[in-house]
Amino acid sequence: MPKVTVDGVEIEVPQGATVLQACELAGKEIPRFCYHERLSIAGNCRMCLVEVKPGPPKPQASCALPTAEGQEIRTDSEMVKKAREGVMEFLLINHPLDCPICDQGGECDLQDQAVAYGRGHSRFHENKRAVTEKYMGPLIKTTMTRCIQCTRCVRFSEEVAGVDEIGALYRGEAMQITTYLERAAAHEMSANVIDLCPVGALTSRPYAFEARPWELKKTLSVDVSDACGANIRIDSRGREVMRVLPRINDDVNEEWISDKARFQVDGLTRRRLDKPYLRRDGKLEAVSWDEAFAAIGKISPGKSVAVVAGDLVDCETMFAAKALAGALGSDLLEGRQTGLDYDCSNLAAVNFNTGLAGIEEADALLIVGSQVRWEAPLLNARLRKAVKKGAKVFVVGPEWDATYPVTNLGNDLAVLDKLPAEADAALKGAERPALILGGAGLGKGALGACLALSDKYKLVRENWNGFNVLHMAASRMGGLMLGYAQKGGIADLVAAKPKMLIALGADEVDFAKFAGSMIVYIGHHGDKGAHAADVILPAAAFSEKPGTYVNTEGRVQWADKAVFAPGDAREDWTILRAMADALGVSVGFDSFEGLRAAMAKAVPALGVEGLVDYGALPKGKAGAKGSIEAYPIKDFYLTNPIARASVTMQRCSAELLHGESFAEAAE
């Protein structure tokens, strides 16, 4: 490890580190625009200039200069100060003075660094250049006159997303960043370029001119649009969520989120349930809470109660509903709304055991019945990293447009009993082989066959567990830990013919099968579940309550409350606690703290943030049958009630998936 001196302080740096990284290890702040920790080095903004000896007597770009033994680095010399002022002056030559009307104002790297490292005045009085606006779709608003050609957006699209949709045209002063033929950027992580852009060239189209950053309350939360559990920050003003931004967590989402996680939030204010409803003479009528609970109390269901949990529900809500059902004498709980009935006796067999970060180290991968790009865009970016390191990927199921090379093994699950020679050799010869089983594979009963493959190819070895199940619902692993899984799936609930069915935000259930039951829907949107309900009790969305979520890798995470629920809507646990009084039973808690403590006592793993240890994998049995003809997700942008209520997600679906065109108003 080489030793270098930074501003008179000697430090030891890792082999291969750049001068910029060495300076940061020494605690020095180095300004930069083009450099980003997760992207390749471009070295084209020149803002990170430092003085290095031995070397030429001139400033050098620290992001592209490797460290060497004995280097003396100066970050605060007069030469460096003047060089940075000069670079900033050149950057601002053509940059418009848009700060008062720019959405990036208050959180703009160029603005901040101009104050910290720039000159106090300008010497440029000629006309500035202007660039025509580019159309990048319904999510990204462009003002390309502000662009400083750092190429972060280009490198992100090519390297992380794996979609070559953004590039540079022309050279020198005429250089422009644009999408191919100015089409919409049509991949699931496109809006991350908004966070990467160090100026106001790429901003959020739905959020444009809505708020300034200092007006917003920032709340730490967890994304519920898929099962990855991306760490997010909810920015709100008053009672409205204005935007969602990613938080850095290298173990989960690095610093990216999917477009759906970022932009579905406008659905939080639309189609909301804000008062109780009761079905009378076939029509839903608004009623008071007392009338709704009186109607529930009248039915006196006794033990004949079932609970089905939706995809966005937190663990506290599911535990409260379980306590209510248990107090009534029922254990009919199910969270797999669409009819899945895989074996949940050992949760290690249905967990993403490698971990989201760990899958990057796999050198051979078999994906069974999962369209990863839509089911978990953040995981797909990790798989792309594995492929760049040399991993081979084989897919069983219909072909889908991956962002890396894959070999398709057909739709027939019988191939799992005897893999083709190429896949067999790759998995046998791999040091870290891995398997990912998705929802379509689970639905066809492939779990046992995949567990048998785990034995055959030794997917579990020292410091490595390559057996993974990829879920699609944010509530799935938490629900399984709380017992929301019948042996026969939701069919067991149908067969029991319960007098009362409690639907916790469950919108994907075939409620026609529960025609003889009183359906009590506790949810936040007027979606499919509300249309089928006999009683609607308005609840809080994920942003309107604190909660515990467990992602597909078994990671327990806590989310905070950002805003209050609208109208008469209440947090779910309070509704279930009031239902217990209406039904004349006790659930054992009267506060959220009491509920969380009771849940942690019943399932200790839910009381601690971090990965849950589910134990060893069970044995499997070969003999898979059937064919995977389609994947569960038909429309990436409309997978849950919040997204379906979102105008932005509806437009994304119409424009990016179904080819509809939207005329832009002349400005």
Side-chain angles (χ1 to χ4, degrees):
M1 292 174 69
K3 290 182 179 178
V4 299
T5 303
V6 180
D7 291 342
V9 178
E10 187 177 76
I11 61 166
E12 204 170 37
V13 297
Q15 191 70 41
T18 63
V19 169
L20 187 150
Q21 291 168 326
C23 293
E24 298 217 320
L25 282 172
K28 301 294 180 181
E29 181 180 324
I30 303 295
R32 84 291 296 265
F33 292 112
C34 68
Y35 175 79
H36 192 277
E37 293 81 356
R38 302 186 198 278
L39 304 176
S40 62
I41 292 170
N44 57 5
C45 78
R46 320 310 286 177
M47 192 63 206
C48 62
L49 294 173
V50 296
E51 189 179 348
V52 180
K53 296 178 182 177
K58 64 177 184 178
Q60 298 188 67
S62 59
C63 69
L65 183 67
T67 52
E69 182 69 36
Q71 278 178 334
E72 291 183 29
I73 304 165
R74 290 290 304 276
T75 69
D76 56 359
S77 67
E78 192 61 30
M79 179 197 291
V80 170
K81 182 174 180 291
K82 283 188 174 179
R84 290 176 180 169
E85 284 182 357
V87 169
M88 181 58 71
E89 198 170 6
F90 276 117
L91 285 173
L92 294 177
I93 276 177
N94 283 315
H95 195 79
L97 300 178
D98 274 352
C99 297
I101 59 158
C102 177
D103 264 339
Q104 204 85 340
E107 49 190 4
C108 172
D109 291 350
L110 185 65
Q111 201 175 53
D112 295 341
Q113 292 182 40
V115 170
Y117 303 103
R119 294 171 63 94
H121 60 278
S122 172
R123 295 180 291 177
F124 186 80
H125 303 293
E126 288 76 10
N127 291 330
K128 294 175 181 277
R129 77 162 189 163
V131 180
T132 55
E133 303 310 341
K134 314 298 179 189
Y135 183 67
M136 291 194 183
L139 303 179
I140 304 168
K141 183 178 185 293
T142 65
T143 312
M144 300 313 291
T145 300
R146 301 171 186 158
C147 178
I148 61 170
Q149 285 99 38
C150 70
T151 67
R152 280 185 182 182
C153 54
V154 177
R155 285 175 285 147
F156 172 82
S157 296
E158 291 178 357
E159 297 164 16
V160 179
V163 181
D164 295 341
E165 288 195 331
I166 303 179
L169 299 177
Y170 318 123
R171 301 177 65 185
E173 193 182 43
M175 181 176 169
Q176 299 181 22
I177 303 293
T178 182
T179 51
Y180 179 62
L181 294 182
E182 293 198 26
R183 294 187 307 184
H187 61 87
E188 302 74 31
M189 297 174 65
S190 65
N192 286 290
V193 298
I194 295 169
D195 299 329
L196 287 173
C197 184
V199 295
L202 304 177
T203 54
S204 168
R205 188 179 287 272
Y207 175 70
F209 312 121
E210 291 293 328
R212 287 298 196 182
W214 54 84
E215 299 177 302
L216 305 175
K217 185 181 85 170
K218 284 99 176 158
T219 307
L220 307 185
S221 190
V222 176
D223 170 43
V224 296
S225 66
D226 59 32
C228 289
N231 288 203
I232 58 173
R233 190 186 86 195
I234 297 175
D235 286 2
S236 57
R237 184 175 61 191
R239 300 186 71 156
E240 184 179 357
V241 173
M242 304 303 294
R243 64 176 180 178
V244 159
L245 297 176
R247 285 190 288 136
I248 297 176
N249 187 329
D250 287 334
D251 294 328
V252 183
N253 59 304
E254 300 177 279
E255 58 186 271
W256 323 122
I257 52 174
S258 71
D259 291 350
K260 182 165 54 179
R262 187 187 298 265
F263 288 116
Q264 69 174 3
V265 293
D266 66 323
L268 288 169
T269 57
R270 294 175 171 86
R271 295 189 196 165
R272 287 304 301 267
L273 299 172
D274 58 358
K275 59 185 70 172
Y277 286 86
L278 186 61
R279 192 175 295 278
R280 290 173 175 156
D281 299 324
K283 291 185 178 181
L284 287 168
E285 296 178 6
V287 295
S288 67
W289 279 103
D290 289 341
E291 288 176 285
F293 286 131
I296 292 170
K298 273 182 193 172
I299 194 173
S300 301
K303 292 183 180 179
S304 188
V305 174
V307 182
V308 58
D311 291 348
L312 313 182
V313 187
D314 57 292
C315 292
E316 285 83 358
T317 297
M318 289 187 282
F319 181 79
K322 180 181 180 180
L324 175 59
L328 291 166
S330 171
D331 60 357
L332 289 172
L333 311 171
E334 184 55 74
R336 298 164 296 179
Q337 303 177 65
T338 54
L340 297 177
D341 60 355
Y342 47 84
D343 181 14
C344 297
S345 56
N346 185 334
L347 294 186
V350 291
N351 186 48
F352 202 91
N353 295 292
T354 307
L356 296 174
I359 200 68
E360 293 178 14
E361 304 305 317
D363 47 7
L365 269 153
L366 177 63
I367 300 174
V368 180
S370 178
Q371 188 187 9
V372 182
R373 187 170 165 183
W374 276 11
E375 293 171 12
L378 299 170
L379 173 62
N380 196 58
R382 301 239 189 216
L383 295 185
R384 181 172 163 75
K385 283 193 195 177
V387 171
K388 287 169 80 173
K389 293 177 184 176
K392 291 185 176 179
V393 180
F394 303 91
V395 174
V396 177
E399 291 188 20
W400 48 279
D401 185 15
T403 56
Y404 39 83
V406 301
T407 303
N408 194 276
L409 305 181
N411 298 3
D412 194 346
L413 286 171
V415 74
L416 297 178
D417 295 337
K418 191 175 188 333
L419 291 177
E422 184 186 0
D424 182 66
L427 289 166
K428 278 181 178 173
E431 290 184 18
R432 291 177 296 277
L435 180 148
I436 297 175
L437 174 61
L442 288 170
K444 292 292 183 179
L447 180 58
C450 289
L451 286 168
L453 286 178
S454 175
D455 284 342
K456 181 177 179 180
Y457 293 109
K458 297 181 175 57
L459 299 186
V460 182
R461 45 187 83 178
E462 189 176 356
N463 298 323
W464 181 257
N465 185 338
F467 186 83
N468 303 296
V469 170
L470 178 60
H471 299 293
M472 291 173 282
S475 64
R476 187 58 39 84
M477 283 306 292
L480 296 180
M481 291 172 70
L482 288 167
Y484 276 74
Q486 299 295 309
K487 190 171 184 182
I490 206 161
D492 285 3
L493 271 61
V494 175
K497 296 181 178 177
K499 279 188 180 179
M500 183 165 72
L501 176 72
I502 301 173
L504 304 175
D507 292 287
E508 318 304 329
V509 179
D510 182 1
F511 286 103
K513 295 178 179 177
F514 293 96
S517 307
M518 181 189 199
I519 299 170
V520 178
Y521 181 78
I522 302 174
H524 41 78
H525 275 78
D527 208 78
K528 302 169 189 175
H531 287 286
D534 297 302
V535 182
I536 296 175
L537 304 177
F542 76 98
S543 58
E544 297 156 2
K545 58 186 174 183
T548 302
Y549 297 91
V550 186
N551 74 352
T552 192
E553 61 177 346
R555 185 180 300 276
V556 178
Q557 302 185 107
W558 293 331
D560 293 330
K561 177 178 179 174
V563 294
F564 287 94
D568 289 336
R570 299 289 181 265
E571 291 181 25
D572 308 54
W573 75 269
T574 63
I575 297 172
L576 290 157
R577 174 66 184 80
M579 273 183 69
D581 287 344
L583 293 167
V585 294
S586 172
V587 288
F589 55 83
D590 294 307
S591 67
F592 183 76
E593 291 73 22
L595 163 61
R596 201 169 242 183
M599 182 176 75
K601 185 177 180 182
V603 185
L606 291 176
V608 184
E609 281 195 293
L611 287 172
V612 179
D613 184 2
Y614 294 117
L617 272 182
K619 299 290 182 184
K621 187 176 180 183
K625 295 179 182 177
S627 177
I628 299 173
E629 301 302 335
Y631 296 111
I633 296 180
K634 301 291 186 282
D635 189 321
F636 169 74
Y637 297 103
L638 303 175
T639 55
N640 63 64
I642 300 174
R644 287 191 285 266
S646 163
V647 172
T648 305
M649 290 295 97
Q650 289 172 17
R651 176 163 173 179
C652 285
S653 172
E655 183 173 346
L656 305 181
L657 297 184
H658 301 108
E660 293 185 28
S661 59
F662 289 80
E664 293 291 312
E667 294 182 3

